[in-house]
Amino acid sequence: MRYGILADIHSNLAAFEAVLSDIGERGGVEEIWCLGDIVGYGPDPVECINLLRTYSCTCVAGNHDWAAIGKLDTSDFNPYAAAAAHWTARHLTPEAKAFLEELPLKLTVGDFTLVHGSPSDPIWEYLFSADGAEANLSSFDTSYCLVGHTHVPVVFECDADPPSCLEYDLPLEAPLKLAEKRLIINPGGVGQPRDGDERAAYAIYDADQNALHHYRVPYDIELTQRKMIRWGLPFSLAQRLGAGR
Ligand code: ZN
């Protein structure tokens, strides 16, 4: 079995479609694991949800998904993110809203835990450091945990006793073999990468090889930017897509 691991689509249909077509060219996947923030920031929330629903999909909620349906107050968001969340809320169909309402915060699939932020705080915590990863080891039972939220691809490789984690770059294309160590892995963001590489990021987990592959995919950034400007979404959110920051 092969699984597509997608985080932070953020209503960016052009990026999402480019990733899906890249997955197709690489032989496809049986299922998509979606790590939350399907909506927020970008111009195509309903289109992204509808497209996701055409796949067999295991999905958790992110902070922007909750904000768009009123489950999370936007007072802690920066003003641009809050403006985009309110715009998204106004543009969701009842079906799209119902889909977001149903999303759990944490899921276990085989030996993987899926969350948006971190296992101990799935909605808010950003896992940026080995110390943060280490503090989360007792909050999930599986060998591996998949996270999104930072939009930065990374691997934390951890020992259980005593608890300690090492941070390293998620290798591009080369297989990351999943062995005996516990791992927390972020595949990067599909719809708003923030590691300085503007290409959409995602991963494929191949269960037969027990390996994960990380890929970057160019997409039509200007198309998404034009739509954002047309809809009156904050200009800085459109601009940052071009910088991948
Ligand atoms: Zn996000």
Side-chain angles (χ1 to χ4, degrees), residues 7-10 36-37 39 41 63-64 116 126 148-151 192 194:
D8 298 284
I9 295 167
H10 279 301
D37 279 7
V39 303
Y41 294 132
N63 52 319
H64 285 262
H116 179 63
Y126 291 89
H149 199 36
T150 65
H151 306 198
Q192 196 204 72
R194 292 182 188 164

Side-chain angles (χ1 to χ4, degrees), residues 49-71:
I49 289 172
N50 288 345
L51 182 55
L52 189 60
R53 292 177 70 188
T54 64
Y55 287 79
S56 168
C57 180
T58 298
C59 199
V60 294
N63 52 319
H64 285 262
D65 303 318
W66 268 25
I69 55 172
K71 271 191 180 179

Side-chain angles (χ1 to χ4, degrees), residues 119-165:
S120 66
D121 185 355
I123 281 291
W124 267 124
E125 185 179 13
Y126 291 89
L127 284 186
F128 270 125
S129 70
D131 285 349
E134 196 178 305
N136 269 277
L137 285 177
S138 58
S139 298
F140 66 103
D141 301 323
T142 54
S143 298
Y144 315 113
C145 180
L146 301 172
V147 301
H149 199 36
T150 65
H151 306 198
V152 175
V154 71
V155 186
F156 298 105
E157 186 184 79
C158 303
D159 285 314
D161 197 17
S164 69
C165 297

